[in-house]
Amino acid sequence: ITSLSNSINETSGLIYLDGKLITMNDSGSEAFLYEIDTINGEVLRMVAISNALNTNWEDITFDANYIYIGDFGNNAGTRTDLKIYRIAISDYFTSDSVNADLINFSYADQTNFSNQIYAHNFDAEALINRGDSLYLFTKNWLDAKSNVYSLSKTPGTYTASKIDQLETSGLITGADFNPISNKLILSGYSFTNPFIVQLSQFENDLFSSGTLNKVVLNVDESIQVEAICAQEGNQYFLSSEAHSSGASSLYKLDTQNL
């Protein structure tokens, strides 16, 4: 559709909420959410999460009452402060500065916290809401699969256990669950092309039990697609961060004929 404003050239998550397209930047950026114009990519509004720190924000999702921001980027595998920020939707739409509750967690199967940059399976960049739970999808540097962990939506401190694994054959960077179509869609990239993975007809939260359809995308600008969200029906937005292949960009995807 368009290139994005320089202030969000590290876009790392997307939601479409009440007709507003919302994103944020990842590692080391300010703790802001940004509403963006879906035609020209300009920032329309900024909302500060006043009690949050953007260590490495990677994805965003929402339910009927809350927005959830995943601060769990972990390229080196050393982090012991993984968390999800939860903010009330009512606060978001009535104030430009909001406070967040905290959902802290660790991976039950991670025992090694030494620096293993780009050589481990405990990095995550994708988060969805479904039913009573949040689900994380990892970006596996070692085997190019994606492990699935579930978490409570209630603020507190948790140990997340792996409940599933997906044969994605690439690095997963974003996710959304479409309750209308009952399909899960993931974004990602290899080192040459971005792609999406659509899963359908799965049972409960065993996503691997469904049909997996992977499609390589041809894009005009940056290939580093970092986020995806449903707009309506088969229509999705994707965003990519600035990369040697091109500018940070907003894309539109129609999945009707996948």
Side-chain angles (χ1 to χ4, degrees):
I1 298 174
T2 182
S3 57
L4 293 174
S5 166
N6 286 336
S7 61
I8 48 171
N9 65 2
E10 291 193 21
T11 172
S12 191
L14 287 175
I15 55 173
Y16 191 71
L17 176 60
D18 290 350
K20 308 294 185 182
L21 186 61
I22 302 167
T23 190
M24 77 282 185
N25 286 316
D26 65 11
S27 56
S29 301
E30 293 183 291
F32 283 98
L33 298 181
Y34 302 83
E35 287 181 17
I36 58 177
D37 190 292
T38 59
I39 302 300
N40 61 27
E42 292 301 310
V43 173
L44 302 175
R45 179 174 176 245
M46 297 168 56
V47 176
I49 317 302
S50 58
N51 62 338
L53 178 69
N54 186 343
T55 301
N56 199 336
W57 290 10
E58 289 293 357
D59 207 1
I60 183 171
T61 189
F62 68 95
D63 60 17
N65 298 306
Y66 296 100
I67 296 170
Y68 303 87
I69 305 165
D71 188 351
F72 41 53
N74 190 25
N75 286 333
T78 58
R79 288 190 64 180
T80 57
D81 61 344
L82 304 172
K83 60 179 68 72
I84 295 170
Y85 292 103
R86 189 186 80 166
I87 64 174
I89 291 174
S90 57
D91 290 347
Y92 175 84
F93 281 113
T94 56
S95 176
D96 290 338
S97 180
V98 300
N99 285 325
D101 298 319
L102 271 179
I103 301 169
N104 299 290
F105 73 96
S106 58
Y107 297 111
D109 49 339
Q110 183 177 10
T111 57
N112 184 355
F113 293 88
S114 63
N115 190 323
Q116 308 165 76
I117 191 162
Y118 309 138
H120 63 96
N121 291 337
F122 297 101
D123 192 10
E125 295 195 5
L127 177 71
I128 67 166
N129 154 70
R130 185 169 183 263
D132 295 330
S133 299
L134 299 171
Y135 295 89
L136 285 75
F137 301 85
T138 59
K139 182 182 186 180
N140 286 15
W141 294 100
L142 283 178
D143 58 21
K145 299 178 183 180
S146 183
N147 298 330
V148 185
Y149 294 83
S150 64
L151 273 177
S152 169
K153 296 179 179 181
T154 304
T157 300
Y158 301 94
T159 300
S161 297
K162 185 170 73 173
I163 62 169
D164 199 4
Q165 186 177 76
L166 303 175
E167 299 286 341
T168 51
S169 300
L171 302 175
I172 296 302
T173 60
D176 199 11
F177 173 70
N178 190 331
I180 297 173
S181 63
N182 198 39
K183 293 178 180 178
L184 169 67
I185 194 161
L186 307 172
S187 63
Y189 59 88
S190 64
F191 292 104
T192 54
N193 290 103
F195 61 81
I196 58 105
V197 172
Q198 183 174 263
L199 294 112
S200 58
Q201 299 177 319
F202 44 80
E203 297 180 5
N204 300 317
D205 58 2
L206 188 63
F207 301 107
S208 64
S209 67
T211 300
L212 185 152
N213 190 7
K214 182 177 179 180
V215 178
V216 174
L217 304 176
N218 294 315
V219 298
D220 296 326
E221 292 288 348
S222 169
I223 65 168
Q224 194 164 327
V225 171
E226 290 284 341
I228 188 166
C229 73
Q231 180 187 22
E232 57 184 4
N234 298 306
Q235 304 296 313
Y236 291 81
F237 288 109
L238 299 95
S239 63
S240 60
E241 70 175 39
H243 183 263
S244 58
S245 58
S248 59
S249 299
L250 180 68
Y251 300 103
K252 192 73 173 290
L253 173 70
D254 185 341
T255 63
Q256 184 173 1
N257 297 317
L258 286 184

